[in-house]
Every structure is written in C-alpha cells, then in structure tokens.
Amino acid sequence: MDASVLQLISEIGARLGERSRPTKDFIVKSLREGLRKQEASQNRVDSLKTLEHAIASDLLQHADKDVKLLVAICATEIFRVRAPEPPFEGKDLKGVFKLIISIFADLADTSSPLFSKRVKILETVARLKCCVIMLDIDSEDLIVEMFRIFFSVVRDDHHASLTDAMSSIMIDILNVGASQKLLEVIFQNLIKGRKDATCAASQLAASVISRADEKELKPLVSWFLTSCINDRDAVSSGLKEFYHEIIFRIFQCAPEMLLAVIPSLIGELLADQVDVRIKAVNLVGKLFALPEHHAARKYHDLFVEFLKRFSDKSVDVRISALQCAKAFYMANPSGKQFHEIICAVEDRLLDFDDRVRMQAILVACDLSKSNLQLVPSKLISQVTERIRDKKISVRKKALQKLMEVYQEYCKKCCEGSMTAGDHFEEIPCKILMLCFDKDCKEFSSHNMELVLANDLFPEHLSIEERTNHWIHIFSLFGPLHEKALHTILSQKRRLQSEVKNYLALRKQLKENWSEDLQKTTENMFTKMASFFPDPPKAEEWLLKVNQLKDNNLFNSLKQLLEEQTFTTTKIIEDKLLQMVGESNPYFEFLRSLFSKCSYDIFSSEHVHYIVNYLSNSTVGSKRLEDSSIKLLLAIVRTFPAILRGSEKQFQMLLGQKSAVNDKLIEVLAKAGSHISIKLSDIYPFLQRMCMEGTRTQAKFAVSAMAALSSDQSFFSDLYKELIDSLYSQRNVPTVLQSLGCVAQYSISTFDTRLAEITSYISQRIVQAEHLDDVHNAASSGGSFGCSDSFGCSDCCQLKIYGLKTLVKSHLPEQGNCVKRNITGLLDILIRMLRQSDHLIGLNSSESDVACTRLAAAKSVLRLSRRWDQHISPEIFRFTILIAKDSSPSIRRLFLNKIHKMLKERRLPIRYACAFPLAVMDGTEDLRDHSSKFLAEFIKDYSIVARTQQISSAQGVVFCYPAYVVVFLIHVLSRDADFPSGGRQDEQLCADLCSPLYIFMQALVNSNIVDGDQDLVNDAVLYLFSILRAIRKAEDAVDVQMTTKLHMLADIGIFILNALKHGEISASQAPGQILLPSSLYKMSFAKNSANLRNFYFDECFLSGVLQKLRSYVPQACVQKPLRTLKYGRKCQEDVPKCNINKCITSNLASSKPDDLLWRETTHVKTVRPDIPSGKRRKNAESSANSGPVCLHECSTIHRLQNASEPCERTLEGNQLSSCGSVSSLVESHVATRKSKRIAASLIENAVRSGKCTGQPSKRPRTNLSDSCGTKKEDVLADRSNQRHLWHCDPGKHSQRGRSKKTNATTGSKVANLNQENVNENVRGKSTGTSESEVVDTNEKATSHLVSDILVKTKRTAIE
C-alpha cells in the first residue's frame, strides 16, 4: 500500500476523532472515503489504529441507521484486515458485536436498499468466524440474543447463502462452547407447532443440529430429553412439555443423537399412566412412519414394545396404536414389520370394545384404498365380517368404509390396473345380508335398495363394468344372498306397479273427482309408503307431492317408469331432480322416489350385455358362465319384460349351447308371455327338452310352451309323442315329468287320455308288485337325479316319479279347474305311508322304503293345498308321523318341506304338529332344527293372525297357532304307547305328552314373539277354550278314543295352569270354540257327568310335569327367536322369560271347568276396561256351560269371505272342515250391545231345540268328479277343508236354501239332509250347512250378524 494511502486513512481517523460533534454528512463522507481506501490497502494494522479508536470512542453509539451500518461495515472490514488477531480493545469488542448483531436484526426487511450491505456483513462475519470471540469475552447473553435474532429474521424466501451464513455462525459457536441456553433457543424454533416459530426457523434449527459436532451437542441433547422423560420436575425449562416433538424433529435430522434416549422411550411405553403410554405410542408411531429411516428395523426392541400396545389394556392406547398403523404402512410397505402391523390390525377387528373395532375398520379400509393390490385379502375379508357386528354404530361405519373401498376397487378394475378378486366382490354380498338385520331401520331392504342403486358403484362406471362385477358377485351368492336381492327387486317392482296405478288414478281423478277415488288414492299412498324406510313420513310426503300442480313432473315420472334402459333412466332422473331443485323441501324424498321407480339396479342394457356375454364362446370360466345365467334368471324373475329387445340373441344362445343350462329354459318360461319369441320358432328345441332332456329341463320346457302361446295344439302333439315314449319306455323319468306338467298346464289335452295314462302309471309303475315290473323302464335311460333319494334304487325312484306325475295331474296351475277322482291316489298314498310290502316291493331296501315314505308324505303336503278336505285323519296322522321317522335324513327333509310351505302359506296350519313331534326325537342338531321351525311358525302366524284379524266370529280361532293343539292331541291319542287300563305311569305319560308340553311351552314364551305379551295372553286364552272344548267332545273317528282325548285335555289344562302367567284371567277366554267335525263330534250323553270326570289326581300330574321339565329340552323353546336371524355373530343374549310355577290346588275335588276359572277372582285381568261387576257376572255364568252342538262351518266361511281377511294362500290355513263341534259358553268379553243381543239370540235359537245326532264312521270319499255333485253324511270327513274350494281356489257361496230336517222329538238320531256340494268350472264351490250357528265377536259387522240370525232361525235343529 502506498504511504499516501496509509497516511490518508490515518488522517480520516484523526479528523473523526478531533470533531466533538461531527455531523452525519461528515461522518458518512469520511467513513465511505475510509472504506474505499481500506479496501485498497494491505493488512497494515498500524494505519487502522486511529480508525478503530474513532469507531470505539464515538461512533458505536450513534443513533442514525446509515451511520451504524457504515460503522458495522468498517468494523467487519477491520476484523478482516486484522484477522486472525481480534481488533479493538477487549472492552470495546462487546460494543462492536452488539452493533453488528443489531444490524442482523434488520435482515427481515428484504425490500430495503440496504439489505445487500447487511447480508455482506453477515457473510463476512460467518466467513471470519469472529463471533466465536464472544465466547472469550463472556458475552453469552449476546450469543443467545444473536441466535434468537437469526431465528426471528430468517424467511422462507431468503437466499440459501444467507441461511447458510446464519447456520455457520451458530454451528461455530456450538462447536466451541455449546450450552443449555443456546440449546433451548434452538429447540424452541425446532418445534414447528410453536406460535413464535416459522417453517424457515424450524429448518434453520434442524440444519444447525444436523451439522453441529455431536461430541459437543449430543450430551446436552441426551441429558435434556432423558431428564424430561425420567424426571420432568427437575427440568426448569418450559420446553419439557414439548419433548416428544423435540425428539421427533431431532430424529428427522440427526437420529444418532437419540441413541441414549430410546431406552427411555421404551420405558414410557410400559408406564402405568395411560396418558404417558398414549403420548409415547403416538411419538413412536410417528418415528416409525418416517420414510427412509427404517426405524422399526433399526430399533427392534422399541418396535416390539410398540406392537404390544395394540393389545394394551387401555382402550385409548389401543386406539392410538391403530391410528399410527396407516402412517407406518405407508413408510414400510413391505417386510416383516409390515405384516406384523397388519396382523395387529386384524386382531383389533375382533376387539371387545366397539370404539376399537370401529377404529380398526377405519385403518384397515384406509390401508386397502391406499394400495388395493398390496393389502392382504384376509384383512378385507375380516373387515367385511364387521358388517355383522353386534353394535349398530360399527355396522354403519363398516358399511360406509367398505363402500369406499369397493368403489376404489371398481375404478382400478376399469382402468385395467387390477383384476377381479373374490375378497373384494364379497363386499356387496355382505352388504346384502344387512337386509336381514331387524335392529336398525337404516339396514332395511328399502334402504339397501338405494345403496345398491346409488352407492355401490362409482357414478360414471359403464354398464359393461357394472354387469361384469354383478356376474362375479353372483358367483359368490348363496341362498340367503339371492333371497335378499329378490326381496329388494320385488319391492322395487311392487312400488313401480303402485306408482303406475296411482298415476292412472290421478288422471282419472282429475277428469272425474269422486270421494271413493280420493279414498282409493289415499290407500295407495299407504301402500306406497310401506316401501320406504319411514312409512309414516313417506306417506306425509306423498300427500304433499300429490298436491303439486306441475303436470310435467308427473308426466316425466310416468316416462321414468316406462323406460327400461339404464342410460336414459339416469337422464330422465337428473331432469326430474333439476325440475324439482335442491332447495325444494321435497327434493330428498323425491330423489328416493325417482330412484326406486327407475331401472337403476338392473336394466335392459344389463340383460343385453349378459346375453351377449353368454353368446361369446371365449367366456372361459364355467363358474362365471353359470353365474351370469343365474343373474339373468334373478333379473327376469322379477322384471320379465326386461328381456324384451334381446329375443334374437337369446334364441341364438339357446341354439348354440351344446349342453343347455336348465336356468336358460327357466328364463324363457318366466319371460315367455312378455317377449316376442314365437313358439313355432322354438318348439323343436322345447319338444326335444321334454323328450330327451333332464326332468328339470322338461318341467321348464312345458312351462315355457304355456307362457309363449295359448294354442293347445302344441300340447296335443307333444302329448301324443310323450305317450308313445312312455309305452316304448324311452327316457321314462323325463317323460313322466313332462306328462305331469302337461296335466297342469293343459287339462283338456291331458283329459283326452286321462284314464289310460293314469291307469298305466298307477298299475305299471307306481303299484307294480315286483321290482321286475319296472326294471325295464328304470333301465331305459333318463335322468334319475332326485333330491329325495338317499341311495335308493332306480326302480324306487321311478315309482316316486310316477307318483309325482299322478299328484301333478290333480294340481293344475293357477286359474285352471280340474275334474279328478282322487280316491285312487289317496289309496296309493296311505299304502305307501303304511309301508305296504306289495306296493313298495318285497325285497326293497331300507333306503327304498324310507324314500317311498317321504315321497308319499310330501305328496300329501302338496295335495293338501287343494284337496285337504279329502285327506282323512288316518292319512294325516301317518303323514305327520314321518316327523318321527327312523331315518334322520328323511325327517330333516320332511320338516324342511313343511317349514317352507308354511312360510309360503301353502299348507294348512295343522301340519305344524310335526315340529313338536320331532323336537324329542333324533340328534341334537335335528331337535334344534325343529325347535327353530316351531318358533318361526308361532311368531309368523301369531302376528299375521292378529294383524289380519281373520276371526270374524267368536270361536273361529283356527288361524292362530294355538289351534294346532286340536290336531296334536288327536294324533297323540293314537299313540301305541298310550297308557291303558287306568294305569298311571308318570314316565310313560311324560314321554307321551312331551310334544304337547313343548308346543304349549313355546306358545307362552314371549321371547319367541319379540316380547309381545298380548300375543302370549291370546294364546293362553285360546288354549284354555280349546282344551275345554275337547273335554266336552267325543272322538268322531273312533268313539273308544274319547277317553284318551279327555285325558290329554286334562293334562294340557294342568300344564297350561303351570305355564300361564298370573296376570291372565281365564274369564276372558272365548266362550265358543269350533272343532273339526272330521276329528270331533258332539257328546250325545244324556248326563254330562261322565264328561266331568277328572282322570288324574294332582300328585300324579305334578310328577308328570316334573319329569317333563327335567328332560324336555328347555333351550329349544326358551331360546329367543333372535337366534334364528340370519347374519350377525356375537349377538347379545336375550333374557329368557320366567315360567310361573304350577298352581297348587286340590285337583281331585275340582271340576275341570273349575280348574280353568279358579284364578278369575284373584288375578288382574288383561282387559281392565271391563267393569268389575260384569267380570263377576261373567265368572258366575261360566260355571253353567251351554250344550255341545254339531255345527258346520260354512257360515264361518262366508263371514270370512265377506270380509276378505287375507290372500287365498293364507285363507287356506284357517279352519278347513265342513263341519265342526262347538262348545257354547257365554261370552266373557264385553262387546257392544247390539252384538251381545245377536250372540244371545243365536245361542237361544240353538238351545231352543234338542241337539241330537247319530255318530257314524266316516265313509271313504269316492268322488268321480269333484266338480260335480255328491251327497254325503254330515259327519263325512272333510278334515281341514279349504274354505275357498274343494279342488280349485274359489269362494263358497250358497246355491240353495237348506232343507228342513226330519227329526223325532226326544230321539237321539237326527236325520240331517245335506245340500249338494258343487263346483263350477271356475273352481268356486257351493254348499250349505245343516246348522249354521256361530257367536259373534267385536269384529263382526251388523249386516253379517243379521244374516247369521236369519240363517240360524231357518236351519236350527227341531
């Protein structure tokens, strides 16, 4: 450097020092000049002394920012020049650093023109590392202040060089002299969640920690964190509350610093305090979730302890562990630790706490959505099981999350990144099962319909993709899934039908208003509302919608109902919703209504795609091919017209399949009447199925012919060919099936050679005495697959097929009337049931005999729907006793058949006798099976009987399950082990009466009827009256059995008194009970004392009851019906009802009637509205019972037909007898005055005459034409006659008036004339009864009562 330059710098310093009060301009000018000269100078210290002195003495405290900046710049330059020796005196260094740090505080102002100069000062200081000097001069407070300023001014938009300079300064200081104060400043800014920390500050702190020397920093970090964990009270810093966040941030930037802290974290996971464990779990979970760190593998002990927290005793800890699982999975998508976490989540799906299960569902579904291909299928399967969870909240959450998973799965399949998988397609299957959940209305089939329509698939998924998924779903369906889907589709179809009727009626009402039409419309609304989850609310909305004046809305709705394509349906639906508007209060309801009215689940496009899919020869999977056919059938069964438009493809499909699927023919049969396929075009195919196909194919082929055309010529041609094949013994099983179906669909065709065919089948096949007689036919080929055959021979099966053909010939399809003589068929059935050797075969095996019995019993069940009046008590008894068959498989099939037919209301209720008979025999599984059937029967029929209120005359209780006792007692009286000769054996009596005890015990079990005590009370009252009526009647089949009937009635009365609840008053029991005349008749004894005999003493009956209670399976009848529900596991038990103890009284000294009424004066009545005076009067009058008279029930039938109580199938289960025995007792129920008068007049009319009659045995029915006329004895067996028809549905009507009876006064014999019984071609039967006497109850109307009075006066016995 020139001497002149040095001299100039020295002079500048001297001038600054000489001025006592220099101006700003002078200072700035001098400093700038000095800086310029200093930059050009060499490191000559001596020349700077005067400048240092000037700065230290006067300029450090200057208030002007510009001056301070220039002073700081000069100071840093002096530091640079004098490096490595520190400039200034020791006492002045602190002021210089304070000045420089103040300049750092302005670095936040990036817009200042001086910003670059400040940055230059920072970078110079960092480069010179001069800040370390502050440690030598004991200026830690300045260092702390500088650290805080750095963290406060750093910004995200700062250049990297600036932040690097800051971090370099701090690191240099920490590497030389780290302290707890400095560490706390860093930690404060390291925590992102702190209010005074920015993201840039946090990053700066992380950079400092990661770059600092571990030897200096690590001990401090470890000491602070372990102190916070182990002895938090000893830590004075406020950061001790945030040590978990500090650990997490340090782990992100410098995990090696925490090696000494990990053992303390394991200790926190094992702490006794729940909150400590929760925080530790959350922290460790976040550590394991850090990508690229692989903490779970590096710290195995920590991971093991973390894994144990999934099964922690605390619910909150388990939930916290589950919440960490998803993040862990995202960071560790493979490896051993990943699978261990998945297993832990699976275990929590079965946790006993519903909150944990719900969290496990959330986690599992989120994991699945994040990577559908990687998540194990077992996890998805276990989540779907939670749809059956015992908690409704868990089921709802599972439904919601699984729908999200399934939609994501559908999207991936559509994109081609995934292929269909069973574990995902199981989700809709499980969702469908929610339809059986009765606990929550949100899972009803009405809501599930909306789920399938709107939420199952992504909104914009194509028809092809939707159909492919449905095909795969259907391949996983079981019977319950199909039932649930059928329920949903059926209710959709019924609502559509109701809406169509409403729109037509609305148009008619608009053109011609009437009060009747308005009432009909309101009734329609009630029906339509029943298809919504909340019927009352839906009905209210429907009434409001009906008041709308916008015809465009209703026209569009009509168009929506008629449109069968999915795409157009959606367009119309969107148009309707836009028309309504989201702000409209009707919007949500109308959206549901439009969805239910549209073809949004299945449409004609779905069907078209399925048909094309089947036509494609490259389908490949037999399973999916069968599934697509099943799906097509399920759709067509409910919406047969939906096949319209796909006829050509479907017809081609039938022709190109070498092995025809049975269900394709069934599809044709279901849709035949709705499509445009001509029978002539497809007749050769159907004819071949009838001749050469399987029995199933033949059945549907004949049905398809009937559906496609009403031309009988096709049946005539087919009939001839079938007869030829039968005589030629070609494919006999299939030919027999076809003949039976022809007999059902074309009666006139079958009747042309009726005698010839029935005689051939009966004699040459069914009644062949030797097996050789049918061997040729059996070996001639054909399908011998029979569900009822358990190893039976082909010959035996052929007999069964022949029997089925004969049965079908007596069971025409609905709407057809048949004229047949059923006597011969009934003779065959009774011989089969008796196991007649020459009918079954001398050398038949046990399996052949068992299969024959079962076939005969099932035939009786099928015939009972139309011909029940001709089924004798003997046939009925032999049929019912199949429930105690020696073969368990035969019993099971028989009980299943009865249960199914009773559920479908296709069988008289008397066949329910089989259930209690089967409960005591067989394996435990079979007993449980029978008990469940019994419970379902009692529940279903009790509710329906009360809801429909079928009984319109007093004593008509045959629609209630309690009436089955009438038939059960009659069957038990024929038991071969019945005690005889007055022998009183408690064990023998208990064995005999166990079915009666089981049935009565089930009737009084309120759990079976969902706790409805009113139904139980009704059952008890009806049982009282029924047993009293039996006690006053005689056996109509064999009068010698009367004593046994009375003995069983006495035992039943004793059991009922032991089982019935104390609050039930017997005074309210019906005073008149009608009994079937085929089984019971009036007692003709002059003195009724013999009817008052009591056969057992109290001690004996108490012993019998004790034995019954000791070994009768209580659980079978006490088990609540909830166990019968399909679906959920882990159901909560329902407490069993308590059975009252046996009433203790002196039975030996009591009359039977007294036993029934003994509690009337001491117990609370069920109907408190009856005045106490009337109750006392009724109780007194009950002691004087009226006479027992013979009555026929046609009046009852007409009462029921007039009120139309229910559908025909339900009516068939009411009292099925032409005649009945009635026990006339004064009514104990308070009724309206007019009805009491009517009842009294009826009773007086009967009592005014002498009720006499001649008991006679029932002659065998011999009807050559059941549609013709035939006179019969009044007691001829019409056991369980259907009210509507003899051989075909229809209503009884009177064709003539009753003829007067010729009787001699006082004689025991009354010659009763009987009106002819006729059936016209429509199947309506007519007839009158000789003594049409009934009592009225509250349900009878006045005009019906008047009608009864007139008929009573006209037909009363003289």
Side-chain angles (χ1 to χ4, degrees), residues 1-19 22 26-27 29-31 33-35 37-38 45-55 59:
M1 178 184 295
D2 295 340
S4 59
V5 174
L6 293 175
Q7 182 65 31
L8 181 58
I9 294 174
S10 178
E11 290 177 0
I12 292 172
R15 286 199 303 269
L16 286 172
E18 289 175 357
R19 294 285 184 101
F26 175 77
I27 295 172
K29 181 179 179 181
S30 298
L31 289 175
E33 185 181 358
L35 284 173
K37 300 298 183 181
Q38 185 176 331
V45 177
D46 295 339
S47 63
L48 299 176
K49 286 289 184 179
T50 56
L51 186 59
E52 289 179 16
H53 178 72
I55 292 173
L59 301 181

Side-chain angles (χ1 to χ4, degrees), residues 1128-1149:
R1128 307 191 311 274
K1129 296 179 181 176
C1130 308
Q1131 292 293 344
E1132 298 173 347
D1133 293 333
V1134 178
K1136 300 176 182 178
C1137 64
N1138 295 324
I1139 303 299
N1140 292 342
K1141 295 182 179 181
C1142 177
I1143 301 171
T1144 57
S1145 57
N1146 188 356
L1147 301 181
S1149 60

Side-chain angles (χ1 to χ4, degrees), residues 23 27 80 103 228 273 287 339 348 409 429 479 492 595 604 607 679 858 962 1051 1129 1232 1325 1347:
T23 63
I27 295 172
R80 180 181 64 79
I103 297 300
C228 291
Q273 297 84 0
L287 296 181
H339 293 291
R348 291 311 96 214
Y409 158 75
C429 298
K492 191 178 188 71
S595 177
S604 59
V607 170
L679 179 58
K858 284 189 173 183
I1051 296 173
K1129 296 179 181 176
R1232 288 190 290 271
S1325 59
D1347 184 51

Side-chain angles (χ1 to χ4, degrees), residues 68 175 185 285 351 446 684 686 721 776 997 1204 1313 1337 1358:
K68 292 174 71 174
N175 290 343
V185 175
D351 195 279
H446 309 300
L686 296 177
E721 296 177 7
N776 293 333
Y997 176 79
E1204 290 292 328
N1313 296 326
N1337 64 1
E1358 298 181 359

Side-chain angles (χ1 to χ4, degrees), residues 413-434:
C413 290
C414 183
E415 295 169 0
S417 58
M418 279 191 68
T419 57
D422 288 356
H423 52 289
F424 287 110
E425 301 294 359
E426 278 282 0
I427 293 175
C429 298
K430 297 294 183 182
I431 290 174
L432 274 174
M433 295 302 289
L434 287 174

